[in-house]
Every structure is written in structure tokens, then in C-alpha cells.
Amino acid sequence: MKKFVGLMFSMVLLLSMYARADLTIEITQGVDNPTVIGIVPFGYSGARGLPEDIPGIVRADLKLSGQFRPIPVSDMLAFPRSEAEVIYRDWRILGAEFLVTGDIKEVQGRYTVTFELFDILGQRKLFRKSIVGSEAQLRDLAHYISDEVYEKITGIRGAFSTQVAYVEAFQQGKPTDRFRLMLADADGARPRLLLESKHPLMSPTWSTDGKRLAYVSFETGRAAIFVQDLATAKREQVTNYKGLNGAPAFSPDGTKLALVLSKDGNPEIYTLNLITRQFARVTQHFAIDTEPSWTPDGKSLVFTSNRGGKPQIYKVTLATGMVERLTFAGDYNARARVSPDGKSLVMVHRSNGVFHIATQDIQSGDLRILTETYLDESPSISPNGAMLMYATRFQNKGILAAVSLDAGVKFRLPSKQGDVREPAWSPFFD
């Protein structure tokens, strides 16, 4: 099969190649009273210039969250590098509530970054930490600092060190049309090409350990599900049935895939044990059942079905097969994802003929529309449950956008080329 695919279909696996189609960030809405924070230029002692602006990346990360307002460097009264140099009065004058200082040392290509966080109003140091990395890891070190600062101040684990997978499409109805499976930092930086094909690529999804991606490819002439190891670029086709093979989703323990197959007639939900390679049918109904997603405990699946006449969200308990309808508001609810705490559903919701992203409290049923743009789809929740990313249209182009689950923070990540779709936010990389 691998030789056949290689001969018949032109695919390019370029795991280490960086693409030029950076996702540029455009913050469109933040909270009303963001926390004011000073992040001073870090001290540096090294034999060569720094290829990355670490404090600049930290400022951008925290600003991107919508919950912080970094003080411009041009407004700062001083650039302290140690606790002894911090004059709290100067920072209170600027309205700062917190301050980050840092120092970078380079020895034989290894960088040690020491950073401190200060509570300006309380006039105390909250922590001092040091991290070490190579030149290629400087951006990772910056995201780590952002995560630590964010968590200490908000109490929520930061997700700046995570990544997002997405599909980039170049379609003009010509033989040169192509599709790319891409990987980038959560802020859109360092885009990397994982796979390029002249055939459609769809539905990327992460394993819970962040080491594999499952996705749908049409390279064999029909929809098929592949699993790809990100470290080695090795990929494996796991379905080869006639008809529909789609919507893969890894179980929380990484041992199974939930997916949709129509091999027995109409589309139904199945699970595939990735160890034994055994399929198990989950739903049995004459309606269309599709788009499965696991609950955090791995005991149930939520899915889309038109068994009630129109697409709505249902939950099936795997141990008993019991099915429960979860959504009732509106005439269309689909592509549901469960928040990491298991309390909320995020979904595509149609209201007045327009598709929006909405969230629903699972226990109370309360629905909240999060987005106001047109044709919003494919929501994916950040691993800390604070934000979600989705695909939408902006200026007649497919882009990615993000919104907080309380709708207070919004930003866009348009690509410089191609239509961008099907985002999948990674888990934490522990």
C-alpha cells in the first residue's frame, strides 16, 4: 500500500521545513481593564547578537491574551536588571501592577535566561527562575516565561508554549491546486510544513501526548484516515473502507480513535483500538451520526446527529450505549468540543441563518454566542480552557481567529497566502 500511494499520489513530507506563510496576529478585542505590566529589556552578555527579542515576545504573548497591557519600552523610566535596581515608585507612576526583569548569558551557544516577577503594589518579588536553551530554543524560552508569568498572576496555566495544526488551501480549480498540513506556535510564529498534497486534507487532531496527528486525506482516491508521528514524520493509513472515513479524534489516554465510517450503510460513530486494531461500532441509527469528540474522562463521546430532524449535539455513554441529546436551542448545532474541565460545550451554532461559534453550559443548558463573524466553523479549545480557535472568513479569505470562552478577548491570525482552515490546538507539552 505504501509503495502504491507513493507511486500514484505526489505527497511531500517535509517535517523540518519552515514555510513562509506566517500567521500575523491582529488583536480585535481585549478585556475592559487589562492588568498593566512592565517587561523591561533584558540584560545580555554574549559574544554575538541575540536572534530573538525574548522580552518582546513575552510582551506580545501577554498582550495576545487580551488580559494584559504591557507598558511600551519608550514610556519606561528605567530598565532594572535586578531586585536591587527596582524602584517601585517609578512603576506605580506608570500604573504598573507587575514588573518582569531579566538577564541573558550566552556561553558556547547555550543561553541562560534568569527572570524575576515583581508585585508593584505589594512591593515584593514573586519569584526568580532560570532556564537554559540553545539558539533555536530562544523563542521557546520566551513562551515559557510568558506561561510562568501568566499563571502566577491569573492562576490559570499559560498556553503560550503550545502549538496549532491547521490546513492551508490553495484552490483555483487548476491542476496546480494544493493543500498543506501546517504546524505553528500558538501565536502563529514558526510555521512548519508537515505534509503537502494535491488532494484535500481535512480534520487534523492531536493525540493527548502531543506526539501524533490524525487527519483525513484523499490521496488514495477516497477519504482515508492517517496517523502521523511528528518526530519521525512516519505516517500510517488506519482506514481503507469504501465510503466515508472521517472525523478522527484521539481518546484521552491515546489508545483509541473515535471516527466516522459508512462501511455498514449510513455514517455511524466507531472507535478504533490503536493497539489491537479492532473497530467497535458505537452508534446504530438510521440517521447521520458524525463529528465525535471525547469527554475528558474518556467515558463518553459527544457527536452530531440529525436523528431529531436537524443537526444537534448528542452524548453517548460508551459502557451502556445510552444516548442523550444535549442541545435544543437553534435549528443547527454541530462540531461540538468539550472543554477540558468537562463543564462546557463549544460548537458551531446557527442563529438567524448565520453560523457562529457558541458555548453551552452542559449542566444548565445556558447558551452563549461567542463570535459575530460569518461562516465560523471548526472550533478547537486551548488546553487551559481559556481560549478557542476557529476558522472564519475575513476580507473574502479563509483565516483563523480566536476568542475567549467568556467572549471578552478576540484576535485574528490571517495568513499571508492561501486560505487557512481546520485549526487544531495542541495539548500541553509536558
Side-chain angles (χ1 to χ4, degrees):
M1 173 61 73
K2 292 182 179 178
K3 291 183 179 179
F4 173 77
V5 172
L7 289 172
M8 296 300 294
F9 301 94
S10 174
M11 307 289 290
V12 181
L13 289 172
L14 298 170
L15 185 62
S16 62
M17 178 179 290
Y18 284 87
R20 297 180 180 176
D22 295 60
L23 300 175
T24 55
I25 297 173
E26 300 174 1
I27 300 174
T28 58
Q29 180 177 312
V31 296
D32 291 336
N33 296 297
T35 299
V36 181
I37 187 167
I39 303 159
V40 302
F42 288 6
Y44 174 62
S45 58
R48 50 186 173 174
L50 275 173
E52 295 283 1
D53 178 7
I54 290 180
I57 294 171
V58 176
R59 289 186 209 103
D61 280 345
L62 296 179
K63 184 178 180 180
L64 178 64
S65 75
Q67 299 182 47
F68 291 86
R69 181 173 69 80
I71 296 173
V73 174
S74 59
D75 291 346
M76 295 180 182
L77 303 177
F79 302 135
R81 295 186 180 183
S82 66
E83 183 176 10
E85 296 178 356
V86 175
I87 301 175
Y88 291 99
R89 181 189 68 253
D90 290 348
W91 294 99
R92 286 199 301 271
I93 291 173
L94 296 175
E97 299 167 70
F98 296 93
L99 174 68
V100 177
T101 66
D103 186 72
I104 306 169
K105 290 183 172 60
E106 184 262 325
V107 178
Q108 295 182 341
R110 299 291 291 176
Y111 295 81
T112 299
V113 183
T114 301
F115 61 101
E116 297 176 298
L117 175 65
F118 299 90
D119 176 356
I120 297 301
L121 301 181
Q123 299 191 69
R124 62 193 178 105
K125 180 171 66 179
L126 298 178
F127 65 64
R128 181 179 190 270
K129 297 185 178 184
S130 293
I131 48 177
V132 181
S134 65
E135 181 175 310
Q137 295 172 316
L138 288 176
R139 195 170 191 93
D140 299 309
L141 301 184
H143 290 320
Y144 174 85
I145 295 170
S146 302
D147 287 337
E148 292 296 299
V149 171
Y150 181 89
E151 182 172 6
K152 186 65 178 180
I153 295 174
T154 68
I156 300 171
R157 184 174 179 180
F160 304 108
S161 296
T162 58
Q163 296 178 323
V164 59
Y166 57 95
V167 174
E168 194 173 53
F170 300 83
Q171 288 180 278
Q172 296 179 331
K174 299 178 181 179
T176 55
D177 286 358
R178 62 195 187 278
F179 301 83
R180 292 176 175 173
L181 180 61
M182 304 292 296
L183 188 66
D185 291 359
D187 62 358
R190 296 190 294 189
R192 190 172 75 192
L193 177 64
L194 298 180
L195 181 68
E196 186 171 62
S197 174
K198 62 181 180 181
H199 304 282
L201 299 169
M202 300 173 59
S203 306
T205 183
W206 290 84
S207 62
T208 49
D209 61 6
K211 296 180 179 180
R212 294 169 292 168
L213 277 177
Y215 52 86
V216 177
S217 172
F218 284 77
E219 66 195 74
T220 63
R222 59 172 179 251
I225 296 174
F226 287 76
V227 174
Q228 180 166 329
D229 184 282
L230 295 179
T232 66
K234 181 180 178 181
R235 58 198 295 265
E236 177 186 8
Q237 184 177 337
V238 297
T239 65
N240 192 31
Y241 294 109
K242 292 182 179 180
L244 182 63
N245 299 254
F250 280 98
S251 62
D253 64 6
T255 64
K256 295 180 180 180
L257 273 182
L259 46 104
V260 178
L261 301 173
S262 61
K263 65 185 185 69
D264 296 322
N266 60 310
E268 300 283 2
I269 308 297
Y270 292 77
T271 59
L272 167 63
N273 188 308
L274 293 171
I275 300 173
T276 66
R277 301 296 161 150
Q278 296 296 309
F279 288 89
R281 185 167 173 173
V282 176
T283 61
Q284 302 199 36
H285 199 278
F286 59 82
I288 296 174
D289 296 334
T290 187
E291 300 174 340
S293 179
W294 296 82
T295 56
D297 60 10
K299 296 180 179 180
S300 303
L301 292 168
V302 297
F303 64 97
T304 306
S305 178
N306 66 347
R307 60 182 61 195
K310 293 182 179 180
Q312 295 291 344
I313 307 302
Y314 295 77
K315 182 176 79 170
V316 56
T317 303
L318 295 176
T320 63
M322 180 179 296
V323 176
E324 173 189 3
R325 182 171 169 175
L326 299 180
T327 59
F328 295 90
D331 62 0
Y332 181 102
N333 292 288
R335 197 67 182 271
R337 298 291 182 266
V338 184
S339 62
D341 62 9
K343 295 181 179 180
S344 302
L345 284 177
V346 171
M347 72 196 82
V348 178
H349 171 80
R350 185 166 62 194
S351 177
N352 297 321
V354 179
F355 292 97
H356 301 285
I357 304 300
T359 182
Q360 176 179 305
D361 184 284
I362 293 177
Q363 184 172 1
S364 69
D366 291 341
L367 183 79
R368 182 174 191 171
I369 295 176
L370 302 179
T371 65
E372 300 174 352
T373 45
Y374 180 64
L375 287 179
D376 301 330
E377 59 184 9
S378 304
S380 180
I381 306 174
S382 65
N384 63 2
M387 301 285 292
L388 67 91
M389 195 170 291
Y390 59 99
T392 188
R393 303 289 298 180
F394 178 69
Q395 295 181 346
N396 201 33
K397 187 178 182 181
I399 68 164
L400 302 185
V403 61
S404 60
L405 263 67
D406 61 4
V409 179
K410 297 178 182 179
F411 62 88
R412 293 190 292 258
L413 292 95
S415 173
K416 294 179 181 177
Q417 59 180 356
D419 282 335
V420 186
R421 60 186 67 161
E422 305 266 0
W425 210 315
S426 79
F428 290 117
F429 298 107
D430 294 317

